[in-house]
């Protein structure tokens, strides 16, 4: 089965999210868990050829988590990282990682995809929150360029 870029981002997001609840879970195991859930939901056996994007992104978010969290925290207005919903934090980490480390993904595309994830996995208030934080990060990155 081939996945489109949005589906790959969903897999990456869900893999990052799962690690909130089991920090000892390796990135590979988290990805495999998500793929297993996808497969059982489809009720068919699939042969997955997973593009490097998912593995690179999930590992990168874990490897750079403290740096990502510091940048996200810098752009929170009257919020602390600990108060952010886990879904929103996973989206923020994923997208911030893409903006910083994946030059093949335009930052505005990463931001729009983050809003799609928030629409699918969160609510309107969260989507506005995610948009505000990521827009602030995007502006600061553009100012530095």
């Amino acid at each position: 089965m081939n996945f489109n870029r949005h589906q790959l981002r969903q897999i990456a997001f869900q893999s990052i999210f799962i690690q909130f609840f089991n920090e000892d879970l390796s990135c590979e195991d988290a990805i495999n868990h998500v793929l297993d859930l996808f497969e059982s939901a489809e009720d068919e056996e699939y042969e997955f050829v997973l593009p490097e994007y998912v593995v690179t992104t999930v590992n990168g978010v874990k490897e750079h988590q403290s740096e990502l969290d510091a940048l996200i925290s810098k752009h929170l207005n009257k919020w602390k990282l600990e108060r952010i919903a886990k879904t929103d934090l996973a989206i923020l980490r994923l997208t911030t990682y893409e903006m910083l480390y994946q030059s093949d993904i335009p930052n505005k595309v990463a931001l729009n995809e983050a809003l799609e994830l928030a629409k699918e996995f969160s609510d309107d208030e969260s989507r506005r929150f995610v948009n505000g934080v990521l827009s602030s990060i995007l502006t600061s990155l553009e100012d530095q360029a």
Side-chain angles (χ1 to χ4, degrees):
M1 168 168 225
N2 291 323
F3 294 99
N4 65 37
R5 188 66 168 212
H6 182 71
Q7 290 168 322
L8 293 173
R9 195 170 272 108
Q10 287 175 322
I11 293 167
F13 158 76
Q14 290 172 328
S15 300
I16 293 164
F17 182 76
I18 285 171
Q19 291 177 317
F20 280 117
F21 304 100
N22 187 349
E23 292 178 12
D24 296 332
L25 194 64
S26 72
C27 294
E28 183 179 323
D29 288 342
I31 293 166
N32 287 330
H33 182 71
V34 171
L35 292 175
D36 289 345
L37 292 173
F38 181 85
E39 190 175 284
S40 65
E42 295 294 320
D43 211 22
E44 293 181 32
E45 291 259 341
Y46 284 107
E47 191 67 31
F48 289 112
V49 177
L50 197 61
E52 190 62 28
Y53 162 83
V54 174
V55 175
T56 300
T57 302
V58 174
N59 281 314
V61 167
K62 190 166 192 165
E63 180 182 330
H64 296 280
Q65 183 174 316
S66 59
E67 175 190 356
L68 299 172
D69 286 354
L71 182 58
I72 293 165
S73 293
K74 189 173 149 184
H75 293 274
L76 295 177
N77 188 13
K78 300 178 185 170
W79 278 81
K80 293 203 180 291
L81 210 59
E82 301 77 37
R83 288 188 56 214
I84 299 174
K86 302 276 190 256
T87 52
D88 298 345
L89 185 53
I91 294 168
L92 291 171
R93 285 177 177 166
L94 168 65
T95 307
T96 303
Y97 176 81
E98 287 180 331
M99 289 179 176
L100 291 175
Y101 294 103
Q102 293 184 318
S103 58
D104 62 320
I105 302 172
N107 287 345
K108 290 186 192 277
V109 170
L111 176 65
N112 286 334
E113 283 292 330
L115 298 179
E116 286 301 313
L117 287 173
K119 190 187 322 183
E120 291 174 61
F121 295 100
S122 221
D123 59 22
D124 285 342
E125 190 174 316
S126 288
R127 194 168 73 234
R128 285 191 296 276
F129 174 76
V130 165
N131 185 37
V133 174
L134 291 174
S135 293
S136 178
I137 291 170
L138 178 59
T139 300
S140 76
L141 292 175
E142 288 173 345
D143 289 347
Q144 292 172 9

